[in-house]
DNA sequence: ATGCAAGTGTAACAACTATCACACATTTTT
DNA sequence: AAAAATGTGTGATAGTTGTTACACTTGCAT
């Protein structure tokens, strides 16, 4: 940090997929003259509530958050966990009804960059690569939501669980096709919330699947014994 | 197919919200030199299947389509009905996993304009207003999907129906706050599919809500008698 | 070591919905 | 006008899940 006007600490967004066109060298060209702010949050803080108006592009610089919906029946549904660095609410900023459809709650101490909407539009014009990444990122979000919808329409808990286990298994297999054991990435309570079901019902079903010989479940460690059996549980 | 620029029939997209920057006069500037094609479909034809790769921006010029998912359990879930003129699959074109998450099926004889992805990107550069409308349109789609998710997490059929009726009622009220009667926009079978439940269960629940005095249901005509009662059914 | 908090296993019961089956009403076709 | 197709009302039964409650385990903090 020596030479000329360089002592300003521009936000480091080098790990954000939407901002990957912004190298450390041209950060100044990007952020210089732009209005923005950063904000710290502690673990458990609420960054935004369902219904809040979304005026900024939020970029999670450090930390992690979860987004969840409170359904009109009082139940909870966890949509996703987002770890730094990623944009938050990128899709809602430009919607005509620009309100958060979810609560955004920090899981760790976090740092958030906030860029006003009109500044984002300026960026689009300045930097076509940024714009295209933004569009792609939003498109991926839509795909993700569609997939979430599809999983939610699986009626039975057994079906949802089988789907989840097969999904996790295929992630493992992409590293090593031999391994049939994995650790669940969430505890039962969280998993139940992401399915929109109750925790006891989930535990019961997990035991059932085990009893039928498709898996072995030890605490949060799952071993798949019979993949075909699992696939049949989807239907 | 005649000499001067005058007689060429450029596609008429004047009713498409994403293309509203394209007035009849500058259609030539917009479409001239662009690669595109149009395609006719008959009622009931399949425009795209779940899993198909999405290479084009589809714009529904005439007709109407529905999009639906086949869940892994074999059940069906209707996502939405889209009437001309609107883009189809606008969000998926730019996703890294650019596959249709839904079946797209025509409800009437339809005409579809197809523009290759790279041409769309060129359009973004030529026409900033087009780009911004595109982003807004996709953002609205994401909002729509989020809302759909929330409705799907309403557990009971009674809750879903109450939500639906209140939604329809508020649409009526936006025209005239005095009217408490509306015609259902779908028949029971379609409504049941959009809820992801069975038709007999839906009919039964509708009768129940009537019995409790919240509504009067005559065939597909609903009269709301007690709004508060309906609101209580959500929880 | 002890106590506490969080996570997990499990049971009994009530509530809800799918499934299947069929009668009846309404609209469209012939 | 009759026949066919579509849409609606309703019943009985079985299966699945929510609810509530409690025992047990594990890891962590005091």
């Amino acid at each position: 940090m020596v030479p000329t006007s360089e002592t300003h600490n521009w936000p480091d967004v080098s790990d954000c997929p939407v901002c990957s066109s912004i190298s450390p060298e041209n950060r100044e060209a990007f952020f210089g003259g732009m209005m923005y702010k950063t904000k710290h949050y502690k673990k458990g803080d609420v960054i935004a509530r369902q219904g809040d108006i979304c005026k900024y592009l939020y970029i999670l610089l450090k930390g992690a958050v979860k987004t969840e919906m409170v359904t009109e029946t009082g139940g909870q549904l966890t949509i996703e966990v987002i770890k730094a660095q990623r944009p938050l609410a990128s899709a809602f900023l430009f919607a005509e009804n620009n309100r958060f459809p979810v609560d955004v709650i920090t899981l760790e101490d976090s740092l958030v960059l906030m860029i006003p909407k009109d500044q984002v539009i300026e960026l689009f014009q300045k930097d076509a690569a940024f714009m295209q990444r933004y569009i792609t990122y939003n498109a991926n979000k839509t795909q993700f939501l569609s997939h979430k919808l599809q999983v939610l329409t699986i009626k039975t808990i057994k079906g949802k669980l089988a789907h989840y286990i097969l999904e996790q298994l295929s992630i493992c297999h992409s590293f090593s096709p031999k391994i049939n054991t994995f650790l669940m990435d969430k505890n039962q309570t969280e998993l139940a919330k992401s399915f929109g079901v109750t925790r006891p019902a989930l535990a019961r079903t997990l035991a059932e699947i085990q009893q039928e010989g498709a898996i072995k479940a030890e605490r949060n460690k799952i071993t798949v014994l019979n993949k075909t059996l699992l696939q049949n549980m989807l239907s």
Side-chain angles (χ1 to χ4, degrees), chain A:
Chain A
M1 354 208 122
V2 190
T4 55
S5 64
E6 304 306 335
T7 43
H8 197 306
N9 263 350
W10 308 108
D12 179 357
V13 290
S14 44
D15 288 333
C16 173
V18 172
C19 304
S20 57
S21 60
I22 306 165
S23 61
E25 305 87 65
N26 57 19
R27 246 179 243 160
E28 182 170 0
F30 195 85
F31 289 111
M34 187 204 287
M35 266 178 53
Y36 67 84
K37 57 183 174 184
T38 56
K39 203 162 166 184
H40 285 274
Y41 293 90
K42 296 213 165 148
K43 177 175 176 176
D45 280 354
V46 176
I47 296 181
R49 283 214 170 70
Q50 212 167 335
D52 284 357
I53 289 185
C54 178
K55 294 182 202 163
Y56 304 97
L57 172 61
Y58 294 73
I59 296 181
L60 184 62
L61 295 174
K62 283 182 206 159
V65 306
K66 66 176 172 179
T67 62
E68 57 184 33
M69 271 178 182
V70 178
T71 70
E72 305 184 57
T73 68
Q76 279 186 347
L77 179 74
T78 300
I79 306 295
E80 59 180 332
V81 171
I82 302 175
K83 292 179 185 167
Q85 289 185 337
R86 286 281 186 288
L88 306 177
S90 56
F92 309 124
L93 182 58
F94 289 99
E96 275 151 20
N97 171 27
N98 61 337
R99 291 171 182 279
F100 282 89
V102 293
D103 291 334
V104 181
I105 299 164
T106 55
L107 295 170
E108 314 166 2
D109 291 2
S110 297
L111 177 63
V112 177
L113 171 64
M114 297 161 74
I115 306 176
K117 179 173 173 176
D118 53 348
Q119 300 285 313
V120 176
I121 293 175
E122 272 185 35
L123 286 180
F124 285 167
Q125 285 153 3
K126 268 205 279 191
D127 185 342
F130 174 77
M131 181 202 77
Q132 197 165 337
R133 287 209 179 78
Y134 191 91
I135 291 176
T136 299
Y137 187 78
N138 279 356
N140 289 342
K141 267 279 139 55
T142 308
Q143 275 286 1
F144 171 82
L145 280 181
S146 298
H147 180 247
K148 197 88 193 174
L149 258 181
Q150 194 167 11
V151 172
L152 260 187
T153 56
I154 298 178
K155 280 282 162 44
T156 62
I157 298 182
K158 192 183 276 190
K160 291 182 195 196
L161 247 177
H163 176 90
Y164 169 78
I165 293 171
L166 287 170
E167 207 172 42
Q168 295 294 312
L169 185 69
S170 93
I171 293 173
C172 287
H173 279 184
S174 69
F175 291 107
S176 163
K178 289 178 190 169
I179 300 175
N180 289 315
T181 300
F182 63 88
L183 300 180
M184 289 200 283
D185 57 355
K186 311 178 181 97
N187 64 31
Q188 286 190 359
T189 307
E190 289 303 315
L191 193 59
K193 271 209 257 174
S194 86
F195 288 172
V197 303
T198 57
R199 207 266 317 157
L202 185 74
R204 193 192 309 154
T205 308
L206 193 63
E208 245 177 70
I209 295 180
Q210 181 168 212
Q211 200 133 25
E212 294 173 25
I215 63 168
K216 192 169 74 174
E218 306 156 277
R219 214 68 186 168
N220 67 337
K221 189 173 130 196
I222 304 283
T223 305
V224 176
L225 302 175
N226 187 335
K227 195 171 162 181
T228 313
L229 214 55
L230 277 178
Q231 282 160 343
N232 291 341
M233 290 177 185
L234 292 174
S235 55

